[in-house]
Amino acid sequence: AKFLLVSHESVLCFVPVGGCKADWRPSNSPKLIDLLDDTVPGIGTYEDFNTIDWVREKSKDRDRHREITNKSKHSTVALLFSISDAFSGWLLMLLIGLMSGALAGGIDIAAHWMTDLKEGVCLNGFWFNHEHCCWASNETTFQERDKCPQWKTWAELMVGVSEQGSVNVLNHFMYVSWALLFAFLAVILVRAFAPYACGSGIPEIKTILSGFIIRGYLGKWTLIIKTITLVLAVSSGLSLGKEGPLVHVACCCANILCHFFTKYRRNEAKRREVLSAASAVGVSVAFGAPIGGVLFSLEEVSYYFPLKTLWRSFFAALVAAFTLRSINPFGNSRLVLFYVEFHTPWHLLELIPFVLLGIFGGLWGAFFIHANIAWCRLRKNTRLGHYPVIEVLVVTLLTALLAFPIEYTRMSSSELISELFNDCGLLDSSKLCDYSGNSGGTSGSVNATAANGLGARLAGPGLYTAMWQLALALVFKMLITVATFGIKVPSGLFIPSIAVGAIAGRLLGVGMEQLAVHNHERKIFRGWCSPGADCITPGLYAMVGAAACLGGVTRMTVSLVVIMFELTGGLEYIVPLMAATMTSKWVADALSRESIYEAHIRLNGYPFLEAKEEFRHKTLATDVMRPRQSDPPLSVLTQSGMSVEEVERLIADTTYSGFPVVISQQSQRLVGFVLRRDLVISLENARRHQEGVVSVSAVLFTECDPPASPSAPPAVKLHNILDLSPFTVTVHTPMEIVVDIFRKLGLRQCLVIQNGRLLGIITKKDILKHMAQMANRDPESILFN
């Protein structure tokens, strides 16, 4: 046999080249037990608020897959198991799509019914909302399609009349009362049962997908309470949407279903691939935009998005959209509430107002982020944060009191957006379609006798009334949304941002339309207007404005354009959408580099390493690593020579997530790295199951069994929990390379060596603190617990 002579301090031992097989212990002494010959429960898992080790998780999955493949070659049962294992990912995507689509359909139906409940009730059946109640009525007209004898307001039910001034006060009182009741139930349920159910959830989902552990954030209680309180919060009339929280709901479904599949239950990296697909499902059911959902997950949420996840995301989003379409929550056989089709082509010069809308969207996005973060920081650092219930009720009271008098703020945000996107047709009774003084909804194609055939597009009194009401609604929505986003109820930002942009776009669109009509003989507008046809489509401006404002807040680009395209079905309007979206992003980035989600991640101190942010500073690994010059020496374990008691004392005296293992304290030659949790579980298991282990028992991180006296207690052998190939850099490695390594490999720590000797360690939080320090921010804010 071949032997290799190894010198370890003053001890010589002969080690077989093929590995340590010899046992130097006398035959009468207990044999060393390798604790991890069989898997110990808990090994390889992570504590709460820790970061996962992506490299180790991927390696575990490769080993598992290799073992299954090898076994499948030797038996039919193993082959069938291999096939089922390969198919389990697609089955899981199918279940996620079905569950998320069903929940989204139920949330839509319940939210529409409860929103209308604030204004009245249907006599044919209290479970009908206003629109469904009047569908079945034979007395409904196109002019007053929202009025029918079967639908009664609360004042009509209580007083019996509907025209007196006191009746409006009573309806206002009932509207405010229902809103306060819904908001109170929502915040109480969140506080009592699932504190993680508040907010939109997307900042936390981004952090979890980057590898952070937040136990309970995607649990069953969070799913149940978020689903119920989301309906209540939307129905209360608060300036929030259900679209962002639906991403959280879909991820909760995915996390719960993962527990039924061993492959995903035991591997955190594989589970995050599923959660990336679930994020796509959330947007798919929120907007009825499966392709946009996949792109949203890729562009905005996901940290690691391999090609396999792209295919599965597409499949899951497709299943979810099909499920939602089967439920048909909007009753119009479409996936989305505000589906519109525009037929008038846009003109090249209209790109100027579209770019102006992009500038407005960028300014609004930057303003909203600064104002909302300032308000949330005030809540966090003052006594205001101690009274979340009172804050929710005050915001709801203000919203309900101010929203009721104006038609466009009283209606739900989804109805408002649908109204603003609408292209006026022959049968529209909306004030936005009151042209030529005919409030009955005449359009240019009806009044062909007007001068030049264009007089029918002149604004009537109803349109002027709608314009000043929309201007008030714009100011109201902009201000109240700042205070609403972040309160302790489920609150999404997509719909309020779209509503702000749609109002601004409709105002500009009507202005451009009237300018073109009044100046149709001028050279610049000569080709725009023709007799019997619309000059400009104000609804298109509303759609472009909506995309611009949402892009300014979230900094979405490609996925946003695709979502808006799927909402409207207008392929020819992609250029205006792209122009407005890119302008919005450029303007917003010039004023603030962060999106609203990244700003909230930084506000909460989550350890999230943004992939889009560039590291431009000329620092080296030695500038960031710990320990610093004034710090105590690095806490390390030695390959041998430490007792159980010494290891346990080191664990008790420190809070580190892991420890480097070196040959000896004198040489500091690096051997590997061991995680704290694995170490604690292994030592507890040794004391419980290994005979003769006491406090003075040796702890070995080597396969070799060193010489020992016959009377010595058995050693605890832990080489199997040791990572023998930890990532290392030298002290002279530029930090921009270190940051890239952490981003692309998903590392949680990296060891710093020089000539083989261990000098220090760099963790993900060290990098985040260093980046904060370089940006003149408080580095201690990157400590979430």
Side-chain angles (χ1 to χ4, degrees):
K2 296 181 181 178
F3 288 87
L4 179 67
L5 183 64
V6 178
S7 173
H8 177 57
E9 302 301 317
S10 58
V11 180
L12 291 177
C13 65
F14 288 95
V15 183
V17 174
C20 296
K21 299 297 182 185
D23 189 354
W24 286 276
R25 253 179 212 283
S27 58
N28 60 344
S29 65
K31 188 177 181 232
L32 287 177
I33 298 177
D34 185 354
L35 288 174
L36 297 182
D37 285 344
D38 297 318
T39 304
V40 177
I43 292 291
T45 58
Y46 302 92
E47 293 180 352
D48 203 6
F49 305 127
N50 273 14
T51 306
I52 71 167
D53 190 333
W54 285 87
V55 176
R56 185 173 77 159
E57 296 298 305
K58 292 174 192 171
S59 178
K60 278 167 52 180
D61 184 64
R62 281 194 296 269
D63 292 342
R64 185 196 63 83
H65 188 265
R66 195 178 295 117
E67 183 182 354
I68 290 174
T69 304
N70 291 336
K71 287 182 178 178
S72 66
K73 298 175 182 177
H74 301 102
S75 73
T76 306
V77 175
L79 178 63
L80 293 175
F81 178 77
S82 174
I83 294 171
S84 68
D85 180 77
F87 181 70
S88 62
W90 295 100
L91 177 61
L92 179 57
M93 293 299 123
L94 176 68
L95 295 175
I96 292 170
L98 291 172
M99 187 174 178
S100 302
L103 282 175
I107 288 171
D108 286 332
I109 293 169
H112 290 157
W113 173 68
M114 292 178 69
T115 299
D116 289 344
L117 192 63
K118 292 184 298 182
E119 298 185 31
V121 68
C122 186
L123 299 181
N124 287 349
F126 72 92
W127 56 87
F128 288 127
N129 63 25
H130 192 169
E131 187 178 11
H132 290 176
C133 185
C134 290
W135 272 357
S137 174
N138 294 325
E139 301 175 45
T140 305
T141 64
F142 282 111
Q143 300 299 324
E144 296 184 334
R145 64 186 67 185
D146 59 339
K147 293 182 180 179
C148 60
Q150 290 79 12
W151 179 263
K152 297 291 184 184
T153 64
W154 292 110
E156 288 175 329
L157 285 174
M158 295 177 183
V159 182
V161 293
S162 59
E163 301 297 332
Q164 297 178 1
S166 59
V167 168
N168 204 35
V169 175
L170 184 56
N171 279 330
H172 195 173
F173 173 77
M174 291 301 298
Y175 181 92
V176 173
S177 300
W178 278 110
L180 287 173
L181 175 63
F182 293 155
F184 177 74
L185 288 174
V187 69
I188 286 296
L189 286 171
V190 167
R191 279 205 75 185
F193 297 103
Y196 283 151
C198 66
S200 77
I202 292 182
E204 287 78 10
I205 296 295
K206 281 172 70 80
T207 309
I208 289 171
L209 288 177
S210 74
F212 197 54
I213 302 283
I214 308 180
R215 300 264 180 237
Y217 198 83
L218 302 176
K220 59 181 181 299
W221 272 111
T222 304
L223 173 63
I224 294 168
I225 298 302
K226 186 121 189 178
T227 303
I228 296 170
T229 55
L230 182 54
V231 174
L232 291 167
V234 171
S235 304
S236 68
L238 287 166
S239 183
L240 48 82
K242 60 182 182 298
E243 284 63 28
L246 277 174
V247 174
H248 188 186
V249 168
C251 287
C252 287
C253 295
N255 187 61
I256 292 167
L257 291 170
C258 277
H259 285 85
F260 297 101
F261 297 84
T262 307
K263 177 165 67 171
Y264 299 102
R265 183 176 68 247
R266 294 183 178 176
N267 194 295
E268 293 290 347
K270 294 293 291 181
R271 190 182 304 189
R272 273 151 183 76
E273 292 180 20
V274 175
L275 295 179
S276 292
S279 302
V281 170
V283 175
S284 174
V285 295
F287 290 103
I291 302 173
V294 175
L295 292 175
F296 171 81
S297 178
L298 174 61
E299 179 183 8
E300 188 63 29
V301 181
S302 295
Y303 197 83
Y304 173 66
F305 203 83
L307 192 60
K308 180 172 60 178
T309 304
L310 177 69
W311 300 332
R312 290 181 175 174
S313 300
F314 184 77
F315 173 68
L318 178 67
V319 172
F322 175 77
T323 305
L324 188 65
R325 170 66 180 79
S326 302
I327 295 172
N328 193 18
F330 307 123
N332 58 3
S333 299
R334 297 195 185 276
L335 286 175
V336 289
L337 180 62
F338 35 90
Y339 185 94
V340 291
E341 289 183 355
F342 301 129
H343 304 288
T344 307
W346 59 279
H347 306 279
L348 188 61
L349 281 176
E350 285 185 274
L351 280 176
I352 296 173
F354 293 151
V355 169
L356 289 177
L357 284 174
I359 294 172
F360 172 79
L363 293 173
W364 151 248
F367 161 76
F368 175 81
I369 291 169
H370 283 299
N372 182 252
I373 292 300
W375 179 255
C376 290
R377 188 173 285 114
L378 179 70
R379 178 194 297 124
K380 192 175 183 180
N381 299 329
T382 61
R383 294 179 61 83
L384 178 64
H386 300 303
Y387 306 102
V389 177
I390 295 175
E391 183 191 9
V392 169
L393 292 179
V394 169
V395 173
T396 307
L397 181 63
L398 283 173
T399 304
L401 285 173
L402 297 174
F404 188 84
I406 303 174
E407 176 187 352
Y408 297 110
T409 52
R410 182 169 67 245
M411 66 175 64
S412 69
S413 296
S414 296
E415 289 180 62
L416 172 62
I417 294 166
S418 179
E419 183 95 352
L420 295 168
F421 280 12
N422 184 36
D423 185 19
C424 292
L426 294 175
L427 303 175
D428 280 306
S429 59
S430 169
K431 286 189 291 186
L432 290 171
C433 297
D434 180 19
Y435 289 102
S436 299
N438 298 310
S439 57
T442 56
S443 66
S445 57
V446 175
N447 193 0
T449 62
N452 299 320
L454 301 173
R457 297 307 293 180
L458 292 173
L463 185 58
Y464 283 115
T465 303
M467 289 300 99
W468 71 259
Q469 287 184 345
L470 281 177
L472 289 176
L474 178 63
V475 176
F476 171 75
K477 283 279 185 187
M478 290 174 70
L479 295 178
I480 204 67
T481 305
V482 171
T484 305
F485 187 70
I487 59 176
K488 299 303 179 185
V489 295
S491 54
L493 193 59
F494 282 19
I495 287 296
S497 300
I498 288 176
V500 168
I503 294 172
R506 189 79 188 202
L507 289 171
L508 182 61
V510 171
M512 287 295 298
E513 180 189 46
Q514 295 306 305
L515 186 66
V517 169
H518 283 91
N519 300 277
H520 64 276
E521 294 181 354
R522 291 178 179 267
K523 184 177 180 181
I524 191 173
F525 296 116
R526 191 168 296 162
W528 290 27
C529 301
S530 57
D534 296 344
C535 297
I536 285 173
T537 307
L540 172 61
Y541 284 73
M543 185 180 76
V544 172
C549 281
L550 184 55
V553 172
T554 63
R555 311 297 160 87
M556 295 158 54
T557 51
V558 180
S559 56
L560 177 58
V561 171
V562 173
I563 287 172
M564 298 305 293
F565 159 61
E566 289 187 87
L567 286 181
T568 58
L571 187 62
E572 60 182 305
Y573 303 114
I574 280 185
V575 172
L577 285 170
M578 291 174 69
T581 303
M582 283 309 304
T583 305
S584 171
K585 179 174 170 57
W586 288 334
V587 172
D589 282 346
L591 299 172
S592 169
R593 294 292 300 175
E594 295 177 318
S595 73
I596 185 65
Y597 303 129
E598 290 151 16
H600 272 270
I601 286 171
R602 184 164 59 83
L603 177 70
N604 293 324
Y606 297 135
F608 179 74
L609 198 57
E610 177 57 58
K612 302 171 190 172
E613 189 177 350
E614 293 183 16
F615 188 86
R616 297 186 176 91
H617 308 286
K618 291 185 177 180
T619 51
L620 303 176
T622 186
D623 301 320
V624 182
M625 73 176 190
R626 289 180 295 165
R628 308 287 168 80
Q629 289 183 350
S630 57
D631 293 344
L634 195 65
S635 299
V636 297
L637 299 168
T638 56
Q639 191 175 24
S640 58
M642 293 185 73
S643 66
V644 171
E645 183 181 21
E646 289 173 329
V647 175
E648 289 176 339
R649 191 184 306 120
L650 178 64
I651 293 170
D653 293 343
T654 60
T655 57
Y656 306 129
S657 298
F659 302 94
V661 178
V662 295
I663 290 179
S664 69
Q665 293 286 359
Q666 290 74 29
S667 72
Q668 290 289 310
R669 299 286 177 182
L670 181 65
V671 176
F673 190 86
V674 63
L675 293 178
R676 175 196 189 91
R677 182 178 177 84
D678 292 356
L679 193 59
V680 169
I681 292 172
S682 300
L683 291 177
E684 288 177 354
N685 188 73
R687 284 188 177 275
R688 193 178 299 117
H689 297 105
Q690 186 176 342
E691 184 181 353
V693 170
V694 292
S695 296
V696 295
S697 296
V699 176
L700 304 176
F701 291 97
T702 173
E703 292 186 2
C704 300
D705 298 343
S709 64
S711 60
V716 180
K717 201 171 171 187
L718 301 179
H719 74 276
N720 275 356
I721 65 170
L722 182 65
D723 180 7
L724 292 170
S725 56
F727 276 85
T728 59
V729 295
T730 68
V731 289
H732 301 297
T733 305
M735 273 307 296
E736 56 186 334
I737 295 177
V738 176
V739 171
D740 268 349
I741 292 172
F742 270 80
R743 280 176 179 157
K744 293 173 180 176
L745 294 178
L747 300 185
R748 56 184 286 165
Q749 74 275 319
C750 180
L751 302 176
V752 184
I753 61 172
Q754 184 70 6
N755 299 325
R757 293 184 70 250
L758 177 68
L759 296 183
I761 186 170
I762 299 175
T763 66
K764 192 174 184 180
K765 286 183 180 177
D766 292 329
I767 289 179
L768 289 164
K769 284 184 178 183
H770 179 67
M771 293 172 75
Q773 201 170 8
M774 293 289 104
N776 296 318
R777 298 197 300 261
D778 178 19
E780 294 305 317
S781 64
I782 317 293
L783 277 178
F784 177 73
N785 60 52

